[in-house]
Amino acid sequence: MPSVMVIGASRGIGLELARQYADAGWRVHATTRSLARPGKLGDLAGEVSLYSLDVCSDADIAALAEALAGMPIDVLIHSAGVIGSRGAGDEETRTQTFRINTEAPILTATALLENVAASDQKKIALISSVQGSGRPRVGSEYLYGDSKGLLNAKFRELEPQWRARGITSVALHPGYVRTDMTGMMASISPKKSVRGIRAVMDDLRLEDGGRFVDYKGKTVSW
Ligand SMILES: NC(=O)c1ccc[n+]([C@@H]2O[C@H](COP(=O)([O-])OP(=O)(O)OC[C@H]3O[C@@H](n4cnc5c(N)ncnc54)[C@H](OP(=O)(O)O)[C@@H]3O)[C@@H](O)[C@H]2O)c1
């Protein structure tokens, strides 16, 4: 049975990823900040294991890696993210947004790299955004876009090391999806986005490593 780890599965795209992979018969590992009251995530049927994780906590990331030590993870998807600010944001918002959107995907993927390397499929997707294209920009006043652009830059720096371990990893734009983040105003449902993301992950080959793709598999410009 293949396995997937979804980072940030309490709501939105992450919750739908956990649901669809579980329905498809995968073993699902999923993280939430509210383990005591997991809500809809706790209601999912199938082989679903939940873990507590605030991606701002180094201790939580270390505890997650310890709990999963020796367990292969075929597909790791880091979905957790925040909008932060559509403007420049105050200092606290900037610090938190860069931690969650930029540093955390790299930190969690690095912490779980051995698990992915030990699996059959060896695939990672860091959920980024088309809003990060052409960013970060000097003097920019768009925190969210800059945080995703900087994630892309860090991903491109690290990806060759992951590829050397036989891991295929991509930065992935999920589409403009109706979730809390977009105030439900967006163009596609989480169901459609996640059906696409799963197909993209299924089709990934080693030569796709290092690409920035959307939920349809189309290339997004850096
Ligand atoms: N929706 C879109 O149109 C769209 C477009 C492009 C990219 N994206 C990206 O897609 C990803 C998922 O977005 P979404 O639309 O599903 O957003 P969402 O519905 O707002 O869900 C955000 C998820 O991230 C988790 N999260 C936030 N801060 C966290 C933290 N410190 N530690 C652990 N988990 C944390 C939330 O957990 P809690 O429930 O605990 O807050 C929640 O599960 C994000 O990276 C987002 O930037 C979304």
Side-chain angles (χ1 to χ4, degrees):
M1 179 188 284
S3 60
V4 62
M5 162 60 83
V6 182
I7 303 292
S10 57
R11 296 182 282 127
I13 295 164
L15 174 61
E16 186 62 23
L17 280 164
R19 178 183 290 122
Q20 287 193 23
Y21 274 109
D23 287 350
W26 285 51
R27 171 151 190 70
V28 175
H29 304 281
T31 76
T32 171
R33 285 194 283 188
S34 340
L35 197 56
R37 293 205 301 200
K40 288 180 182 165
L41 181 62
D43 296 336
L44 297 185
E47 293 283 324
V48 182
S49 306
L50 303 186
Y51 304 83
S52 181
L53 179 71
D54 183 330
V55 299
C56 293
S57 162
D58 290 342
D60 278 10
I61 293 174
L64 180 69
E66 202 178 316
L68 287 161
M71 206 180 294
I73 294 172
D74 288 284
V75 173
L76 166 63
I77 303 179
H78 186 112
S79 185
V82 288
I83 196 71
S85 170
R86 295 184 200 280
D90 60 26
E91 201 179 321
E92 193 185 334
T93 308
R94 291 181 69 79
T95 303
Q96 201 194 30
T97 303
F98 280 117
R99 166 70 198 210
I100 296 170
N101 289 356
T102 307
E103 291 169 27
I106 301 293
L107 290 172
T108 55
T110 302
L112 299 176
L113 207 65
E114 293 307 320
N115 303 78
V116 178
S119 72
D120 291 332
Q121 297 196 23
K122 302 182 180 51
K123 295 174 182 174
I124 297 176
L126 306 184
I127 302 295
S128 183
S129 171
V130 73
Q131 305 288 328
S133 290
R135 294 184 173 272
R137 278 185 208 148
V138 179
S140 168
E141 297 220 331
Y142 185 26
L143 175 58
Y144 178 74
D146 280 354
S147 71
K148 292 294 190 179
L150 199 55
L151 167 63
N152 292 345
K154 284 177 182 282
F155 167 71
R156 294 176 81 183
E157 223 176 276
L158 268 179
E159 187 276 332
Q161 292 174 36
W162 297 352
R163 192 190 304 210
R165 301 290 312 274
I167 294 169
T168 306
S169 52
V170 290
L172 202 153
H173 171 62
Y176 187 36
V177 190
R178 286 190 291 275
T179 64
D180 292 342
M181 184 174 284
T182 54
M184 306 294 168
M185 298 286 285
S187 50
I188 62 169
S189 65
K191 252 188 194 15
K192 185 169 179 180
S193 168
V194 167
R195 271 202 301 266
I197 293 171
R198 287 176 49 230
V200 167
M201 297 310 288
D202 281 350
D203 290 348
L204 273 191
R205 300 290 168 260
L206 200 55
E207 55 271 25
D208 294 315
R211 289 178 64 204
F212 186 12
V213 293
D214 71 5
Y215 73 106
K216 293 177 177 169
K218 286 194 185 140
T219 297
V220 181
S221 72
W222 294 109

